[in-house]
mmCIF file of all heavy atoms in Angstrom:
data_model
loop_
_atom_site.group_PDB
_atom_site.id
_atom_site.type_symbol
_atom_site.label_atom_id
_atom_site.label_comp_id
_atom_site.label_asym_id
_atom_site.label_seq_id
_atom_site.Cartn_x
_atom_site.Cartn_y
_atom_site.Cartn_z
ATOM 1 N N SER A 308 -36.027 18.506 -84.739
ATOM 2 C CA SER A 308 -36.231 17.282 -85.513
ATOM 3 C C SER A 308 -37.636 17.257 -86.097
ATOM 4 O O SER A 308 -37.852 16.782 -87.219
ATOM 5 C CB SER A 308 -36.056 16.053 -84.628
ATOM 6 O OG SER A 308 -34.750 15.945 -84.181
ATOM 7 N N MET A 309 -38.605 17.759 -85.316
ATOM 8 C CA MET A 309 -39.979 17.792 -85.811
ATOM 9 C C MET A 309 -40.095 18.706 -87.021
ATOM 10 O O MET A 309 -40.816 18.413 -87.963
ATOM 11 C CB MET A 309 -40.915 18.289 -84.718
ATOM 12 C CG MET A 309 -41.191 17.223 -83.691
ATOM 13 S SD MET A 309 -42.171 17.851 -82.355
ATOM 14 C CE MET A 309 -42.282 16.366 -81.353
ATOM 15 N N GLN A 310 -39.354 19.815 -86.983
ATOM 16 C CA GLN A 310 -39.396 20.724 -88.123
ATOM 17 C C GLN A 310 -38.880 20.020 -89.383
ATOM 18 O O GLN A 310 -39.490 20.131 -90.452
ATOM 19 C CB GLN A 310 -38.537 21.960 -87.830
ATOM 20 C CG GLN A 310 -38.733 23.051 -88.849
ATOM 21 C CD GLN A 310 -38.153 24.371 -88.385
ATOM 22 O OE1 GLN A 310 -37.085 24.412 -87.776
ATOM 23 N NE2 GLN A 310 -38.844 25.448 -88.668
ATOM 24 N N ALA A 311 -37.777 19.281 -89.214
ATOM 25 C CA ALA A 311 -37.242 18.542 -90.359
ATOM 26 C C ALA A 311 -38.276 17.540 -90.856
ATOM 27 O O ALA A 311 -38.543 17.433 -92.057
ATOM 28 C CB ALA A 311 -35.959 17.836 -89.951
ATOM 29 N N LEU A 312 -38.882 16.818 -89.922
ATOM 30 C CA LEU A 312 -39.885 15.817 -90.283
ATOM 31 C C LEU A 312 -41.079 16.486 -90.957
ATOM 32 O O LEU A 312 -41.616 15.974 -91.947
ATOM 33 C CB LEU A 312 -40.318 15.083 -89.013
ATOM 34 C CG LEU A 312 -41.314 13.945 -89.171
ATOM 35 C CD1 LEU A 312 -40.776 12.899 -90.115
ATOM 36 C CD2 LEU A 312 -41.627 13.321 -87.825
ATOM 37 N N ALA A 313 -41.482 17.638 -90.439
ATOM 38 C CA ALA A 313 -42.665 18.319 -90.971
ATOM 39 C C ALA A 313 -42.460 18.712 -92.423
ATOM 40 O O ALA A 313 -43.317 18.440 -93.278
ATOM 41 C CB ALA A 313 -42.978 19.557 -90.141
ATOM 42 N N SER A 314 -41.292 19.323 -92.718
ATOM 43 C CA SER A 314 -41.084 19.746 -94.110
ATOM 44 C C SER A 314 -41.033 18.510 -94.991
ATOM 45 O O SER A 314 -41.467 18.537 -96.140
ATOM 46 C CB SER A 314 -39.798 20.563 -94.223
ATOM 47 O OG SER A 314 -38.710 19.768 -93.867
ATOM 48 N N TYR A 315 -40.564 17.413 -94.437
ATOM 49 C CA TYR A 315 -40.479 16.181 -95.196
ATOM 50 C C TYR A 315 -41.854 15.605 -95.490
ATOM 51 O O TYR A 315 -42.162 15.189 -96.601
ATOM 52 C CB TYR A 315 -39.651 15.167 -94.420
ATOM 53 C CG TYR A 315 -38.925 14.314 -95.366
ATOM 54 C CD1 TYR A 315 -37.839 14.817 -96.058
ATOM 55 C CD2 TYR A 315 -39.367 13.046 -95.651
ATOM 56 C CE1 TYR A 315 -37.204 14.067 -96.990
ATOM 57 C CE2 TYR A 315 -38.734 12.286 -96.593
ATOM 58 C CZ TYR A 315 -37.647 12.793 -97.262
ATOM 59 O OH TYR A 315 -37.029 12.048 -98.203
ATOM 60 N N ILE A 316 -42.696 15.592 -94.484
ATOM 61 C CA ILE A 316 -44.047 15.044 -94.649
ATOM 62 C C ILE A 316 -44.814 15.834 -95.696
ATOM 63 O O ILE A 316 -45.482 15.273 -96.559
ATOM 64 C CB ILE A 316 -44.805 15.083 -93.301
ATOM 65 C CG1 ILE A 316 -44.324 13.922 -92.441
ATOM 66 C CG2 ILE A 316 -46.292 14.973 -93.523
ATOM 67 C CD1 ILE A 316 -44.897 13.935 -91.079
ATOM 68 N N ILE A 317 -44.693 17.177 -95.645
ATOM 69 C CA ILE A 317 -45.439 17.994 -96.604
ATOM 70 C C ILE A 317 -45.007 17.680 -98.027
ATOM 71 O O ILE A 317 -45.825 17.402 -98.891
ATOM 72 C CB ILE A 317 -45.222 19.494 -96.302
ATOM 73 C CG1 ILE A 317 -45.860 19.844 -94.978
ATOM 74 C CG2 ILE A 317 -45.827 20.343 -97.398
ATOM 75 C CD1 ILE A 317 -45.531 21.230 -94.504
ATOM 76 N N THR A 318 -43.680 17.647 -98.282
ATOM 77 C CA THR A 318 -43.233 17.408 -99.654
ATOM 78 C C THR A 318 -43.554 15.977 -100.083
ATOM 79 O O THR A 318 -43.912 15.746 -101.231
ATOM 80 C CB THR A 318 -41.720 17.644 -99.794
ATOM 81 O OG1 THR A 318 -41.056 16.882 -98.784
ATOM 82 C CG2 THR A 318 -41.375 19.111 -99.622
ATOM 83 N N LEU A 319 -43.447 15.029 -99.149
ATOM 84 C CA LEU A 319 -43.675 13.639 -99.532
ATOM 85 C C LEU A 319 -45.126 13.367 -99.892
ATOM 86 O O LEU A 319 -45.421 12.787 -100.921
ATOM 87 C CB LEU A 319 -43.264 12.719 -98.394
ATOM 88 C CG LEU A 319 -41.827 12.245 -98.457
ATOM 89 C CD1 LEU A 319 -41.565 11.322 -97.313
ATOM 90 C CD2 LEU A 319 -41.557 11.553 -99.785
ATOM 91 N N THR A 320 -46.032 13.794 -99.016
ATOM 92 C CA THR A 320 -47.440 13.502 -99.281
ATOM 93 C C THR A 320 -47.871 14.146 -100.577
ATOM 94 O O THR A 320 -48.659 13.582 -101.314
ATOM 95 C CB THR A 320 -48.341 14.017 -98.152
ATOM 96 O OG1 THR A 320 -47.822 15.245 -97.708
ATOM 97 C CG2 THR A 320 -48.394 13.029 -97.016
ATOM 98 N N LYS A 321 -47.324 15.335 -100.838
ATOM 99 C CA LYS A 321 -47.669 15.990 -102.090
ATOM 100 C C LYS A 321 -47.260 15.137 -103.282
ATOM 101 O O LYS A 321 -48.007 14.974 -104.226
ATOM 102 C CB LYS A 321 -46.923 17.329 -102.176
ATOM 103 C CG LYS A 321 -47.783 18.522 -101.890
ATOM 104 C CD LYS A 321 -46.998 19.738 -102.298
ATOM 105 C CE LYS A 321 -47.561 20.979 -101.645
ATOM 106 N NZ LYS A 321 -46.582 22.045 -101.657
ATOM 107 N N SER A 322 -46.019 14.589 -103.242
ATOM 108 C CA SER A 322 -45.506 13.952 -104.449
ATOM 109 C C SER A 322 -46.115 12.560 -104.693
ATOM 110 O O SER A 322 -46.687 12.320 -105.725
ATOM 111 C CB SER A 322 -43.979 13.893 -104.405
ATOM 112 O OG SER A 322 -43.564 13.266 -103.213
#
Side-chain angles (χ1 to χ4, degrees):
Chain A
S308 295
M309 283 175 181
Q310 190 166 39
L312 183 57
S314 62
Y315 212 73
I316 282 175
I317 293 172
T318 52
L319 269 182
T320 38
K321 257 192 199 161
S322 54

